[in-house]
């Protein structure tokens, strides 16, 4: 590609709406342009990277016997009603009507459509297993579209769906997909971790997320440095603390705590640690039910665990006026004693606490020496808290570490959730009908591109892993008006093309400094400079973007040495067969 003919513009200034580095560099480097909130055009450079990621995906899918197909984006409401998701998917689902008033949605995912296809075509165990995927746009009306391609409203997703006869077959397919995902992210040069995950709205029994480790990540992951335990913080199991002391129960007492409401204020006022307090929270579910949650003062509620335990779709903290009506007191003085007409969900740790402090359900009053069993009880005792740094690993007991991550992919065992609701059945060898066992497997192509940049950049720009770089090398003639320099540059360009190297020739009439700055911003793995030295000494300078290493090459050695360098970089990306 000759840059003089290429459709791209680089920007010196950071766009004001771009908060994270990948968004900034994708816009500055001329990879993407915003069209509307959460929708982007991919410019040729951006599309080349996307295409390379998709090619890696296709390659690994082919190796795992998954077959590519293409489903529509426009889905009829009837299929979503049949699965039961039309009413539960909420505002994220982009809904629309056609001219006849028939309802549709734009696909946020495609379990319904693929299950409908397979149920119509497959009826015998002889046709199973099947593993089908597409790479297609998805639509989600995200509450907060942001970070460029990381959380957009229209995005390219590889989504795959598997159909097996039984649990054992599904396990084999799941493991194959898990391994294929590891291969894909390794080949993209990513620093990632597969973590145990919550199944969320999709449902099912087992799931892993693939997390690109990055400080800008929206997700938190917990992992053990000793064993291989790793989980999304939403999913991470909290270990039950041992009985904290052998203290005997003291007499319950009321104290005036004045206007101290928060855990920290009350702890300071009573000169105790926050861990001696019982935090009492009132939540409202999506079906307008109120529930109380009790946990240790220094802990946070894991709302995902809470949702799963209640079996609802959403929870949010109740408004003060609802609490006053329900409990008869204000936020800050709520406590577990005498709570009526409301189900109480209590974290495991509360049961172990001795002589704790809790709200008295009276204005400006707390109770001291509160003990579970003697003073109050709960409807449910369960694991409700978020795991924190230093908590014990549920596998080996070592302290856990917390890191931030970007979810780039996820694999789920769906089981029979969709095959049952949509009647996707097959006949076994005795003619008995069974629901198929399904799995689903997703990768965000654009999010993967963005996450790679979050992990690979410096103050000058992007540092692409060679496997997904838009081009492998850029040739920079320092002055295009010098015909001798240009002749050499053209000659090298054509030799590299013939050798199958993906090369760009910067034949723009720009100063060398501008060209170098653009090359660093765009992040080509290799840069070859053709200048005066080429004419006097017959050499060119090769610069390696990720190490900064500079090598002087004789003109005759260019192709062989560049081939060697590319092979080295490929090996470094863990991606040669
Ligand atoms: P998140 O929790 O980040 O909203 P999700 O768990 O809802 O994502 P999945 O349904 O698992 O997403 O979708 C599969 C993949 O699609 C994700 O792993 C991610 O890479 C990508 N993806 C999901 N939502 C978006 C989005 N709004 N923008 C870009 N990519 C997305
Ligand atoms: Mg997910």
């Amino acid at each position: 590609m000759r840059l003089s003919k290429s459709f791209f513009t680089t920007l010196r200034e950071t766009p004001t709406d771009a908060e994270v580095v990948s968004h900034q560099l994708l816009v500055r480097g001329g990879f993407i342009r915003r069209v509307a909130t959460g929708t982007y055009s991919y410019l040729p450079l951006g599309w080349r990277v996307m295409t390379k990621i998709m090619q890696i995906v296709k390659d690994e899918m082919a190796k795992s016997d998954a077959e590519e197909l293409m489903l529509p984006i426009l889905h009829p409401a009837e299929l979503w009603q049949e699965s039961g998701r039309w009413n539960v998917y909420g505002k994220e689902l982009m809904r629309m009507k056609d001219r006849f008033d028939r309802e549709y949605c734009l696909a946020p995912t495609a379990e319904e459509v693929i299950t409908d296809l397979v149920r119509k075509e497959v009826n015998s165990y002889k046709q199973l297993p099947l593993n089908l995927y597409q790479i297609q746009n998805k639509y989600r009306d995200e509450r907060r579209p942001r970070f460029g391609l990381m959380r957009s409203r229209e995005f390219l997703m590889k989504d795959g769906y598997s159909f097996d006869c039984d649990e054992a077959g599904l396990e084999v397919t799941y493991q194959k997909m898990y391994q294929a995902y590891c291969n894909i992210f390794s080949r993209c040069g990513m620093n990632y971790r597969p973590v145990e995950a919550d199944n969320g709205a999709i449902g099912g029994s087992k799931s892993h997320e693939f997390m690109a480790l990055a400080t800008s990540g929206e997700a938190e992951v917990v992992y053990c440095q000793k064993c291989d335990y790793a989980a999304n913080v939403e999913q991470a199991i909290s270990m039950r603390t041992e009985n904290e002391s052998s203290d005997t129960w003291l007499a319950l007492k009321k104290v005036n705590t004045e206007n101290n409401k928060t855990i920290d204020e009350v702890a300071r006022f009573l000169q105790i640690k926050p861990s001696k307090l019982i935090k009492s929270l009132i939540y409202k579910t999506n079906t307008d039910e109120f529930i109380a949650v009790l946990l240790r003062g220094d802990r946070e509620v894991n709302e995902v665990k809470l949702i799963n335990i209640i079996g609802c779709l959403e929870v949010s903290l109740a408004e003060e006026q609802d609490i006053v009506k329900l409990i008869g007191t204000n936020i800050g003085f709520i406590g577990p004693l005498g709570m009526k007409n409301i189900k109480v969900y209590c974290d495991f740790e509360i049961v172990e606490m001795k002589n704790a402090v809790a709200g008295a359900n009276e204005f400006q009053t707390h109770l001291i020496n509160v003990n579970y069993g003697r003073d109050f009880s709960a409807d449910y005792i369960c694991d409700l808290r978020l795991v924190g740094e230093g908590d014990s690993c549920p596998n080996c007991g070592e302290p856990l570490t917390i890191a931030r991550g970007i979810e780039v992919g996820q694999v789920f065992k769906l089981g029979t959730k969709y095959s049952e609701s949509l009647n996707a059945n097959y006949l076994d060898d005795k003619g008995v009908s069974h629901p198929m066992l399904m799995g689903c497997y997703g990768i965000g192509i654009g999010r993967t591109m963005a996450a790679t940049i979050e992990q690979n950049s410096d103050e000058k720009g992007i540092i692409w892993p060679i496997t997904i770089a838009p081009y492998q090398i850029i040739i920079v003639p320092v002055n295009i008006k010098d015909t001798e320099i240009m002749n050499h540059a053209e000659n090298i360009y054509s030799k590299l093309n013939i050798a199958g190297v993906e090369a760009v020739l910067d034949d723009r009439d720009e100063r060398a400094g501008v060209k170098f700055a653009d090359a660093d911003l765009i992040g080509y793995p290799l840069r070859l400079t053709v200048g005066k030295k080429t004419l006097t000494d017959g050499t060119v300078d090769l610069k390696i973007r990720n190490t900064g290493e500079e090598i002087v090459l004789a003109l005759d050695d260019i192709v062989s040495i560049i081939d060697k360098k590319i092979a080295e970089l490929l090996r470094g990306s863990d991606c040669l067969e």
Side-chain angles (χ1 to χ4, degrees):
M1 183 69 214
R2 289 164 199 280
L3 285 196
S4 64
K5 308 251 178 330
S6 169
F7 176 55
F8 89 109
T9 31
T10 52
L11 312 175
R12 293 282 158 258
E13 300 299 320
T14 300
T16 49
D17 66 329
E19 295 169 67
V20 292
V21 85
S22 59
H23 188 190
Q24 295 166 359
L25 293 177
L26 283 170
V27 174
R28 283 189 52 208
F31 293 83
I32 58 167
R33 287 290 179 264
R34 178 182 178 278
V35 177
T37 307
T39 64
Y40 292 87
S41 297
Y42 305 96
L43 274 57
L45 275 179
W47 190 244
R48 275 187 77 93
V49 179
M50 295 285 281
T51 307
K52 288 201 169 179
I53 297 171
M54 289 190 270
Q55 198 47 54
I56 292 174
V57 169
K58 289 182 186 196
D59 200 34
E60 291 297 331
M61 286 301 110
K63 280 197 218 155
S64 337
D65 301 321
E67 219 177 347
E68 187 174 4
L69 47 55
M70 191 58 116
L71 305 170
I73 289 169
L74 195 60
H75 292 184
E78 290 78 36
L79 280 179
W80 283 73
Q81 281 154 352
E82 207 180 330
S83 74
R85 280 208 289 188
W86 184 256
N87 291 329
V88 298
Y89 213 94
K91 290 194 171 156
E92 234 177 65
L93 194 62
M94 298 254 197
R95 297 161 208 257
M96 55 181 290
K97 282 188 181 166
D98 69 8
R99 63 174 77 201
F100 305 108
D101 241 16
R102 282 190 289 252
E103 288 188 295
Y104 293 85
C105 65
L106 298 181
T109 170
E111 284 79 10
E112 283 77 1
V113 166
I114 192 95
T115 309
D116 178 52
L117 178 68
V118 170
R119 71 178 168 183
K120 288 174 177 155
E121 305 298 323
V122 173
N123 47 42
S124 159
Y125 71 97
K126 289 182 191 151
Q127 295 164 282
L128 297 175
L130 279 176
N131 194 349
L132 306 167
Y133 78 98
Q134 63 170 346
I135 301 178
Q136 170 74 293
N137 270 343
K138 298 290 174 300
Y139 297 82
R140 294 185 184 178
D141 200 353
E142 297 275 357
R143 190 193 298 261
R144 269 191 85 190
R146 58 184 186 151
F147 300 162
L149 296 185
M150 287 228 267
R151 185 166 296 287
S152 46
R153 296 199 298 168
E154 175 183 271
F155 56 96
L156 257 184
M157 193 205 283
K158 172 263 162 184
D159 48 325
Y161 308 88
S162 67
F163 300 82
D164 274 277
C165 286
D166 51 28
E167 193 58 57
L170 171 58
E171 176 63 21
V172 171
T173 309
Y174 187 86
Q175 289 309 333
K176 262 196 197 172
M177 286 295 103
Y178 180 97
Q179 188 54 51
Y181 274 39
C182 292
N183 298 348
I184 289 167
F185 295 119
S186 298
R187 286 181 62 178
C188 290
M190 189 175 276
N191 175 15
Y192 72 94
R193 248 172 207 277
V195 305
E196 289 175 17
D198 181 70
N199 282 33
I202 293 197
S205 57
K206 181 174 176 184
S207 176
H208 285 90
E209 282 166 344
F210 291 79
M211 294 286 189
L213 299 181
T215 48
S216 57
E218 291 183 289
E220 264 189 329
V221 296
V222 173
Y223 64 94
C224 179
Q225 314 231 19
K226 264 275 163 59
C227 71
D228 61 1
Y229 181 75
N232 186 319
V233 79
E234 293 173 344
Q235 176 77 5
I237 304 159
S238 327
M239 294 305 287
R240 291 179 67 162
T241 42
E242 292 302 307
N243 211 335
E244 61 171 28
S245 69
S246 54
D247 292 353
T248 46
W249 288 346
L250 303 175
L252 192 64
K253 238 176 35 191
K254 253 188 207 178
V255 288
N256 183 325
T257 40
E258 299 174 5
N259 213 21
N260 295 295
K261 291 181 181 173
T262 65
I263 294 285
D264 284 343
E265 284 166 2
V266 177
R268 217 174 303 126
F269 183 77
L270 297 175
Q271 298 193 341
I272 53 171
K273 289 195 207 133
S275 58
K276 284 298 282 181
L277 271 113
I278 295 176
K279 196 187 265 185
S280 311
L281 301 166
I282 309 295
Y283 274 93
K284 187 176 172 180
T285 70
N286 57 304
T287 54
D288 291 342
E289 191 193 344
F290 290 93
I291 59 126
V293 171
L294 307 179
L295 78 167
R296 225 170 73 174
D298 56 338
R299 305 298 195 192
E300 298 301 326
V301 179
N302 181 332
E303 292 183 357
V304 172
K305 285 182 185 171
L306 183 61
I307 285 171
N308 289 341
I309 290 166
I310 300 174
C312 64
L313 285 173
E314 262 176 48
V315 289
S316 55
L317 282 169
E319 303 284 336
E320 181 126 26
Q321 73 260 25
D322 289 331
I323 294 176
V324 173
K325 238 187 264 162
L326 203 73
I327 314 281
T329 191
N330 292 76
I331 293 178
F333 308 104
I334 309 166
L337 275 74
M339 243 183 215
K340 288 191 203 85
N341 311 324
I342 183 164
K343 285 211 176 95
V344 179
Y345 291 76
C346 172
D347 184 72
F348 285 131
E349 284 183 326
I350 297 290
V351 179
E352 310 289 338
M353 287 172 81
K354 289 276 170 64
N355 303 322
V357 173
N361 296 326
E362 252 181 69
F363 190 55
Q364 297 197 337
T365 314
H366 278 78
L367 291 167
I368 59 174
N369 301 330
V370 174
N371 290 291
Y372 184 90
R374 181 188 72 180
D375 306 317
F376 71 102
S377 60
D379 298 284
Y380 302 95
I381 298 168
C382 33
D383 174 15
L384 285 175
R385 72 178 171 92
L386 269 183
V387 168
E389 178 95 32
D391 273 0
S392 307
C393 167
N395 268 359
C396 71
E398 285 298 308
L400 290 168
T401 306
I402 294 200
R404 297 205 78 83
I406 302 164
E407 183 205 313
V408 284
Q410 187 161 14
V411 292
F412 296 91
K413 271 190 184 181
L414 295 170
T416 56
K417 182 176 158 74
Y418 294 92
S419 46
E420 277 180 5
S421 56
L422 292 158
N423 287 315
N425 301 314
Y426 72 94
L427 298 176
D428 68 15
D429 56 353
K430 300 186 181 63
V432 181
S433 175
H434 305 273
M436 297 175 201
L437 277 115
M438 290 176 57
C440 75
Y441 318 94
I443 294 181
I445 306 294
R447 198 184 272 185
T448 298
M449 168 158 87
T452 308
I453 300 172
E454 291 296 323
Q455 293 183 344
N456 299 282
S457 74
D458 61 12
E459 66 294 343
K460 293 183 184 149
I462 303 171
I463 306 173
W464 288 113
I466 192 146
T467 44
I468 61 169
Y471 292 90
Q472 294 168 325
I473 186 165
I474 181 159
I475 304 156
V476 181
V478 293
N479 177 3
I480 65 158
K481 294 198 180 99
D482 184 323
T483 42
E484 266 188 280
I485 287 182
M486 263 323 271
N487 283 345
H488 277 298
E490 286 283 356
N491 198 8
I492 295 166
Y493 177 57
S494 110
K495 273 192 191 157
L496 288 176
N497 273 331
I498 291 165
V501 175
E502 296 170 23
V504 168
L505 177 63
D506 194 348
D507 56 348
R508 295 175 300 164
D509 188 9
E510 291 283 0
R511 284 184 295 111
V514 170
K515 294 184 181 188
F516 291 153
D518 278 349
D520 283 343
L521 173 61
I522 289 167
Y524 306 98
L526 302 171
R527 187 186 82 198
L528 198 75
T529 309
V530 185
K532 279 268 179 283
K533 233 172 55 176
T534 316
L535 309 183
T536 53
D537 314 353
T539 61
V540 291
D541 292 330
L542 179 68
K543 185 161 184 190
I544 320 289
R545 179 74 176 93
N546 71 354
T547 57
E549 185 193 358
E550 290 195 49
I551 308 166
V552 179
L553 301 183
L555 280 169
D556 285 346
D557 297 338
I558 289 177
V559 174
S560 64
I561 296 211
I562 285 174
D563 262 347
K564 222 172 93 200
K565 274 289 156 197
I566 291 175
E568 261 173 38
L569 288 171
L570 282 168
R571 265 197 303 280
S573 301
D574 194 12
C575 37
L576 275 190
E577 297 309 298

